[in-house]
Amino acid sequence: MQIFEDSKSDLAGIGFVFTDDDPFVGVDLDHCLEPETGNLLPWVSEIVDLLDSYTEISPSGTGVKIILESSGMLPGRRKSSLGVEIYSSGRYFTITGHVFNEHSLIHKRTDQIQQIHKTLFPPSPTNTDSISKYAMGQQTASDEQILTRAKAAKNGWKFRQLCEGALSHHSGNASEADLSLCRILAFWCGPCPEQIDRIFRRSALFRPKWDEKHYGDGCTYGQGTVCKAIEAQEKENNFFKWRHGTAGIR
């Protein structure tokens, strides 16, 4: 920020993009600061004190943003009713440099941010339940047979592109592409999470994030994505076709 101010640039300001490749987490708290008094809402003040990391006043002057370091990924979440957002990737923060109450340094606060995340966004039990529910899914074809059928289908071009890591049909969003590929695999594999996971790992979309714990119940990002894909196909009643040998006829 000091370099920006000293550069006499005609730019309006600077910002920071959170990505999978950095250790930073951003906490955005809106409509919680009284500009005239500088006082925070009590529950927000507790968060600021607990994290005790870089905190600045947001551009609106009525909120604060916190940046900290954390080990491991946190799923991005938003709670509009409280005006709070927590992200570790895929988001942009406008930086004002208006430090709040001398919180001018970024610190590592892994345990603290996980505690806050679990409190604000209670983990859903559906991931563990779904894994148990679908664990007994019976494999009806080999991995190679699944790949052959999926590539030969009407939407085979999409399947092939996703396997090659293409994100063009998902606006560059890797998570959406992951789910799309898993939904296609769930259509062909049926409710067989192990086979879906195994084939997904052969695709160019597979990356370390797949095996990172992403949910409060201990489930990984990959397990959660596979379960979402299976549940989506189940809602569309596609497993009736799978059980009766007609999957893919559409």
Side-chain angles (χ1 to χ4, degrees):
M1 177 60 73
Q2 188 62 51
I3 294 175
F4 168 75
E5 292 175 346
D6 293 342
S7 68
K8 298 181 180 179
S9 170
D10 58 356
L11 298 176
I14 62 175
F16 180 79
V17 177
F18 296 89
T19 71
D20 292 341
D21 299 322
D22 66 63
F24 302 112
V25 175
V27 182
D28 191 358
L29 298 150
D30 294 328
H31 311 301
C32 61
L33 175 67
E34 174 54 55
E36 295 181 358
T37 64
N39 294 328
L40 292 170
L41 293 176
W43 68 272
V44 173
S45 182
E46 290 181 13
I47 290 177
V48 171
D49 291 342
L50 179 61
L51 293 178
D52 188 23
S53 188
Y54 178 81
T55 305
E56 67 169 34
I57 299 174
S58 61
S60 68
T62 60
V64 294
K65 295 183 178 181
I66 305 170
I67 299 177
L68 57 122
E69 284 191 39
S70 176
S71 300
M73 294 291 294
L74 278 175
R77 297 294 299 273
R78 176 181 183 181
K79 181 168 286 189
S80 299
S81 60
L82 293 177
V84 58
E85 300 177 58
I86 299 179
Y87 297 106
S88 61
S89 67
R91 284 297 184 275
Y92 170 90
F93 266 17
T94 298
I95 303 298
T96 65
H98 299 151
V99 177
F100 179 79
N101 281 6
E102 300 183 355
H103 292 284
S104 59
L105 299 177
I106 296 176
H107 296 289
K108 190 169 185 177
R109 299 287 188 249
T110 301
D111 293 340
Q112 293 88 336
I113 191 61
Q114 289 181 348
Q115 175 186 337
I116 290 171
H117 195 280
K118 289 179 180 179
T119 300
L120 292 174
F121 312 106
S124 169
T126 57
N127 292 304
T128 301
D129 292 346
S130 295
I131 290 171
S132 299
K133 175 182 177 181
Y134 298 124
M136 299 305 292
Q138 296 298 310
Q139 180 177 324
T140 60
S142 69
D143 294 357
E144 295 304 324
Q145 288 175 320
I146 293 294
L147 288 169
T148 299
R149 293 172 186 175
K151 290 177 181 178
K154 290 182 179 180
N155 65 345
W157 60 271
K158 180 180 180 181
F159 178 75
R160 289 191 295 272
Q161 287 186 354
L162 287 169
C163 286
E164 293 169 0
L167 304 178
S168 56
H169 294 284
H170 298 279
S171 302
N173 189 314
S175 296
E176 289 185 6
D178 295 340
L179 182 58
S180 181
L181 177 56
C182 285
R183 286 194 62 171
I184 295 176
L185 288 173
F187 182 80
W188 290 101
C189 298
C192 304
E194 290 185 0
Q195 186 175 36
I196 295 170
D197 174 79
R198 192 167 59 243
I199 297 176
F200 182 91
R201 290 173 183 274
R202 297 172 59 174
S203 77
L205 289 175
F206 176 71
R207 55 198 184 282
K209 178 181 178 181
W210 189 255
D211 291 320
E212 292 178 354
K213 289 186 178 180
H214 215 65
Y215 300 92
D217 57 8
C219 287
T220 64
Y221 167 78
Q223 289 174 319
T225 302
V226 170
C227 286
K228 288 177 184 177
I230 291 175
E231 288 168 353
Q233 294 293 19
E234 187 174 48
K235 287 180 181 178
E236 295 179 11
N237 203 31
N238 284 326
F239 292 150
F240 175 85
K241 302 174 186 178
W242 169 77
R243 292 188 182 98
H244 291 78
T246 58
I249 303 177
R250 68 171 183 178

